Amino acid sequence: MYKIIEKTFFSENVVKFEIEAPRIAKARRAGHFVIVKIGKKGERFPLTIAGADRVKGTITLVVQKVGVSSRKLTALNVGDHITDLVGPLGQATHIDNKGTVLACGGGVGVAPLLPIVEAYKKAGNRVVTVIAARNKDLIILEDQIREYSDKLVIMTDDGSYGQKGLITDGMEQIIKDEDIAEAMIIGPAVMMKFASLTTKKHNIPTLASLNTIMVDGTGMCGACRITVAGKTKFVCVDGPEFNAHDVDFDEMLLRLGGYKEIEKEAETDYLKQCE
Amino acid sequence: MENRSESLKTERNEAWRSDLRKNIKAKDRTSLIRAKMNEVDANVRIKSYVEVNSGLTVEQAQQEAARCIDCANPTCINGCPVEINIPKFVKRIEQGEFLEAARVLKETSTLPAVCGRVCPQEKQCEANCFYTQKLKKEPVAIGYLERFAADYERESGQMSVPETATSNNIKIGVIGSGPAGLTFAGEMAKKGYSITVFEALHEIGGVLKYGIPEFRLPNDIVDVEIDNLRKMGVQFETNFVVGKTVSFDDLKEEGYKAFFAGSGAGLPRFMGIPGENYIGIQSSNEYLTRINLMHAAEQDTDTPVVSGKNVMVIGGGNTAMDSVRTAKRLGADRAMIVYRRGMDEMPARKEEIHHAIEEGVEFITLANPIEYFADEKGRVNKVKIQKMELGEPDASGRRRPVAIEGSEYLIEVSTVVVSVGVSPNPLIPDSLPELTTTKWGTIEVNEDTLQSSINTVFAGGDIVRGGATVILAMGDGRRAAQSMDNFLKKNEQ
Ligand SMILES: Cc1cc2nc3c(=O)[nH]c(=O)nc-3n(C[C@H](O)[C@H](O)[C@H](O)COP(=O)(O)OP(=O)(O)OC[C@H]3O[C@@H](n4cnc5c(N)ncnc54)[C@H](O)[C@@H]3O)c2cc1C
Ligand code: SF4
Ligand code: FES
């Protein structure tokens, strides 16, 4: 179980895996995630399921090297096994035909956005998508996203690809031209905070898919908790999607920083070992 | 009931037992002093995760067993939720037949080495012992003896694997691998069923693995029991969330005829007070899971844990004691319990409170946190505490704590562990809409048969009782196995 069937590099730091997990492939819906653990002493961390092939019994995960665990995972090759993989977890995205929807993905957030864009399209929506990253190398899954989008805007901070500017600039452009019924935003917490402010300004109902620190992913620990509309919610069981305008992104940003120093240290150690 | 007391009587009259009774006069037995558990010194043990209690020696155990007067009416058994034949196993110890003693335990208890360590004996068998009830003396140390016999058997390398009936090829699914699920699995395997235990986490054992720390219940002990179940043919599937990874309908299609839900009360409760989501404030489940399941304190593991110099644990149960004593071991200078009632009202096992005191844990009782404060990075640094006093008894019979207005003061902290209780795991009820639950979210079952509103789903342990105990979970597992067996046999006809 959990054998790696295919490995593709989107860039030096972003890797796509196809992994044998027939039960999860069958049960998963857009919006679901898995918890992955590499090695006996690895940590448990969440990854959104970017896609699945029921016939082959595989799921697709897209991973960016950001810390020890994601580096350990991306170091695995075709034929290797993932020690532990559990899912599909979380609530699936509720997809309806709304008319025109705006899908926004920042950085690796584009990977979890892909199945949602696909599902929106298949439900009959007009799908307008903005994807954004720091530079050209970090733009991923462009072709796949384009396949399910009626319109695609690409933004880079440095202008090395698409238009120069932030994701919110791209969003403003689209909102001007289109009558958006619903927006979905996925990406780094800071990006989601500002993307959410943008849609709020235009009164567009918006969902955000959150990627907090998790341990078990089954509601057992509360590590993933955030405040939504003044109430504590567990992202792993109540989410990962919430009404973006109700999410306390500032608190979420602080909480995400909770292990930053320890993690940085661990990563430095790990990289030294790898040398 | 008649049957039970009859068979107890017959066994008590067996020659070996009456001979043993005659060996020492009852009066001499009752003048013996209760054995003291050997333990690692507090200053030494807080530097590691070594098990605090090191067990009784053979001499101590036999001496302690000799205290038991082998009552004609053994009231201790009434205090035991699974009705272990206590005098019988105790007398086997006195006789020196330790493996036999272990066999007696296993007639009714699947995990005696675990129960000997974590059961609240002072509220159960020992509270009902003749010594406590009539002599007003310290009870026979039934818990220590149970542990002794189970450990002796395990260490002897002659652990007996219970016999299993010829397979009937009926597939039964067990949801959750805590004490309820494990016990149920063992009992059903004995009856010849094909059992698969599904566990959401990557380890088998439920709270025994992720909750209760190594210094109180070493993982090895749980693993031996799990190995035994494997030898009996029980299959385990980890990383498998029933209701998510597959639905009940899929499992039925795969041939599962009935299910036992032992999915526990795993959801941590928070208090909902201002600042509770600051960095450094975590549930006891998170704190203990990081340490016990993910081994965060070991150098070569990837999971981090934050545990500072001033650790405050909110609550007075076993989970709170486990957390605060873990904090000590992680290097806290000040490890505090904040509890809203008094010392006497704490629900934790007496032994754990006693050990915590020995280890230098501070107890701030009749106190309740009402707000947290943080530094500019969002890290908790102070707690506002309000003093409490005890008022009228509430529904649970315990006196209700009442806040004293104007008594607030601040305590500096670097880490806070919230251990104020758990709620039932909603995964199973959520995936079975037809299942009837109570207003607390526990699964509603027939009290005698443990059958739920869906006749092929039985349930027990914390998912039925809310946060309860290991032995009650085990007892439920046994009872559910018996009644599911009856149910399936009746349906066949
Ligand atoms: C820190 C701590 C200390 C304790 N100390 C004591 C003590 O000293 N003495 C005592 O008697 N009791 C103690 N308890 C309580 C005791 O551990 C519980 O009452 C007991 O474990 C309950 O057993 P259970 O089998 O019902 O559930 P659990 O042990 O909670 O096991 C449930 C299992 O089910 C799994 N699960 C849940 N949903 C699913 C699903 N959908 N699919 C697959 N798997 C699922 C969970 O991951 C978990 O592993 C303590 C509890 C804690 C947390
Ligand atoms: S009540 Fe106490 S003395 Fe009597 S049989 Fe039970 S353990 Fe022994
Ligand atoms: S990750 Fe533990 S409760 Fe969500």
Side-chain angles (χ1 to χ4, degrees), chain B residues 228-287:
Chain B
N228 264 345
L229 289 174
R230 287 210 164 92
K231 286 182 195 149
M232 290 164 71
V234 173
Q235 306 276 329
F236 290 95
E237 286 222 37
T238 51
N239 296 318
F240 196 113
V241 189
V242 175
K244 289 273 180 191
T245 308
V246 294
S247 65
F248 277 90
D249 286 341
D250 285 342
L251 287 175
K252 275 188 214 145
E253 230 161 77
E254 289 179 28
Y256 288 91
K257 290 282 174 282
F259 300 92
F260 174 74
S263 46
L267 269 67
R269 264 190 233 138
F270 287 92
M271 295 171 69
I273 58 177
E276 208 171 20
N277 290 347
Y278 284 136
I279 300 170
I281 304 178
Q282 50 202 312
S283 73
S284 48
N285 268 7
E286 178 180 352
Y287 191 65

Side-chain angles (χ1 to χ4, degrees), chain A residues 23 41 84 220-221 225, chain B residues 239 254 276 283 285 300:
Chain A
R23 288 196 190 270
K41 304 194 160 175
D84 293 290
M220 191 192 87
C221 74
R225 69 193 192 277
Chain B
N239 296 318
E254 289 179 28
E276 208 171 20
S283 73
N285 268 7
D300 56 348

